[in-house]
Amino acid sequence: IQAVLQREVPSGGLPADVGVIVHNVATTFAIYEAVQKNKPLIERVVTVTGKDVKVPSNFLVRIGTPVIDLLNAAGGVLGRKVVLVSEDDQTNPDAGVRAARKLIDVDKVSAIMGTWASAVTTAVAPLCWESKTFLCTVSGADSITLLPHQGYLIRTQPNTVLQITRAGEFLISLGAKKTYTLVPQTPFAQRSIEILAEVTQKAGGTHGSQIYDDKKTTYRTEVDQALRMQPDAIFCAGYTPDTVVMLKDLYRAGYKGKILGQAYSVNQKLIDQIGQNEVVENVYTYAPSVAEGSNALERVKKLSGLANPDPYTSQVYDHTNMVLMAMAVAKATSGTAVRDNIRRVTQGGGKTVDNAVDGLKAIAAGEKVDYTGASGPCDFNDVGDILDCKFRFEQIKSGKPVLVKIA
């Protein structure tokens, strides 16, 4: 501004303070097309470059184009095309093992990403470390990172200790003195009970619990037993199918206290399945929060077509970016290369990046990168647990979840 117009922007000021608006060429062109051609912003020029990119190029791409498509258009990573293969684990350990076996033995993948149910991840993980295939998971059971995985596993989902501690602290903040856990038989069931009991007792309260069979068609016996304690807050820690039944039985039993469930079960799908707003009115729900307001989350919205992507979708987006950058740093694409380098691109300082395209540019320029994604910072301890994250608490009002707080 000073060189062209001989105007100096004051310290702490903006160009507008001296009568100037500064735009880059792409923004100026987008304004022209919007005003003159009534064309919305649907595409941008993206540069894909770096010594690990076979054909550095500029691309005019639609907003929302997957990172993998961009990288492949420029020749891939380390001169090789990136191939994404999808299999359905059906939230079932046996199906998960079959899917993982195909990915490892037939498709020859370097990394498996996105296993959700803790039971599935527990079944799949041994196949991964035995074959030296890297595993990124969104499962939360503490037992997963205690497996002898030899470093071939990280999870972006907070573990049971962190999740249940935050749940307990939230219930205490609502004034709860008597808490009760209703949880199906899962790898995290007993630990969930122990943690909520510890949090409640530390605050001077009392806690009760039951582990139930998630295949039952009614839980009225379990509900009646829970209500004998007269709890002022119940933590429903099941999955959507059994929680639908549990909430209906709590409503029929006339329970008026506070109810908290996890967002993977207490969500819009559950609300729609129940079909009676009064059954779920004022029920609280919580989940690890996405990185609200971040550029990475905006990319996930465009890629998924979702106005409010869930934390698990956001985490899998992060898995993809982290794995690709780890390969670039390693100059190799094996699962072992990913294992040995994934922390080099996610923590320890460096240039902050939120996507693999920018990360590969920085890596090629010899810069250290520190990835922060759609789910937030991705810092892991030695066993693969995410170190910390924020949680989003909501309350159902008139059939819709309403934000209470992010903390």
Side-chain angles (χ1 to χ4, degrees), residues 270-288:
L270 174 140
I271 295 169
D272 295 340
Q273 283 186 12
I274 289 178
Q276 297 172 276
N277 287 351
E278 61 271 21
V279 173
V280 293
E281 186 71 9
N282 294 322
V283 170
Y284 291 96
T285 180
Y286 83 113

Side-chain angles (χ1 to χ4, degrees), residues 178-381:
K178 293 182 179 181
T179 62
Y180 202 97
T181 299
L182 289 166
V183 58
Q185 183 60 63
T186 63
F188 54 81
Q190 188 58 43
R191 191 68 183 117
S192 297
I193 290 169
E194 293 168 356
I195 297 165
L196 190 54
E198 290 170 8
V199 174
T200 305
Q201 290 161 8
K202 184 178 179 181
T206 56
H207 178 262
S209 65
Q210 286 182 74
I211 297 176
Y212 60 82
D213 178 1
D214 66 354
K215 300 298 188 294
K216 293 180 67 174
T217 57
T218 178
Y219 296 112
R220 189 54 191 262
T221 300
E222 288 82 355
V223 165
D224 288 345
Q225 181 178 332
L227 296 191
R228 279 196 284 272
M229 181 186 166
Q230 297 183 320
D232 43 29
I234 293 177
F235 180 45
C236 291
Y239 296 111
T240 298
D242 48 287
T243 304
V244 166
V245 179
M246 187 67 73
L247 291 179
K248 287 181 177 179
D249 283 341
L250 283 167
Y251 176 77
R252 293 183 186 117
Y255 181 64
K256 301 298 183 184
K258 298 172 178 65
I259 299 173
L260 173 66
Q262 289 166 309
Y264 60 69
S265 62
V266 181
N267 48 32
Q268 193 63 52
K269 179 181 178 181
L270 174 140
I271 295 169
D272 295 340
Q273 283 186 12
I274 289 178
Q276 297 172 276
N277 287 351
E278 61 271 21
V279 173
V280 293
E281 186 71 9
N282 294 322
V283 170
Y284 291 96
T285 180
Y286 83 113
S289 178
V290 296
E292 294 288 353
S294 68
N295 290 332
L297 183 61
E298 291 304 311
R299 289 190 181 90
V300 174
K301 290 179 180 180
K302 292 167 184 173
L303 288 168
S304 65
L306 300 172
N308 297 294
D310 61 73
Y312 309 104
T313 301
S314 301
Q315 289 175 47
V316 174
Y317 168 86
D318 291 340
H319 295 172
T320 305
N321 285 283
M322 290 188 292
V323 166
L324 291 173
M325 288 189 292
M327 290 177 175
V329 168
K331 302 187 188 308
T333 60
S334 68
T336 301
V338 176
R339 179 196 67 177
D340 294 344
N341 289 276
I342 197 156
R343 287 172 179 80
R344 292 179 64 189
V345 300
T346 62
Q347 56 203 81
K351 180 179 180 179
T352 300
V353 296
D354 60 16
N355 65 87
V357 173
D358 290 344
L360 292 180
K361 290 181 190 177
I363 291 166
E367 297 180 83
K368 176 159 185 350
V369 298
D370 192 334
Y371 180 77
T372 297
S375 63
C378 297
D379 297 340
F380 306 97
N381 64 15

Side-chain angles (χ1 to χ4, degrees), residues 118 121-126 129 135 142-151 153 383:
S118 294
T121 301
T122 301
V124 166
W129 77 65
L135 176 62
D142 288 347
S143 57
I144 288 169
T145 48
L146 299 179
L147 295 168
H149 56 75
Q150 303 166 41
L153 182 152
V383 298

Side-chain angles (χ1 to χ4, degrees), residues 108-135:
K108 307 293 184 184
V109 300
S110 301
I112 292 176
M113 301 172 284
T115 56
W116 175 67
S118 294
V120 171
T121 301
T122 301
V124 166
L127 305 181
C128 291
W129 77 65
E130 289 167 4
S131 63
K132 295 180 169 45
T133 302
F134 196 76
L135 176 62

Side-chain angles (χ1 to χ4, degrees), residues 377-397:
C378 297
D379 297 340
F380 306 97
N381 64 15
D382 290 342
V383 298
D385 282 325
I386 194 82
L387 293 178
D388 196 13
C389 75
K390 293 184 177 181
F391 286 79
R392 180 185 182 93
F393 295 90
E394 297 179 330
Q395 187 176 29
I396 300 172
K397 294 286 188 181

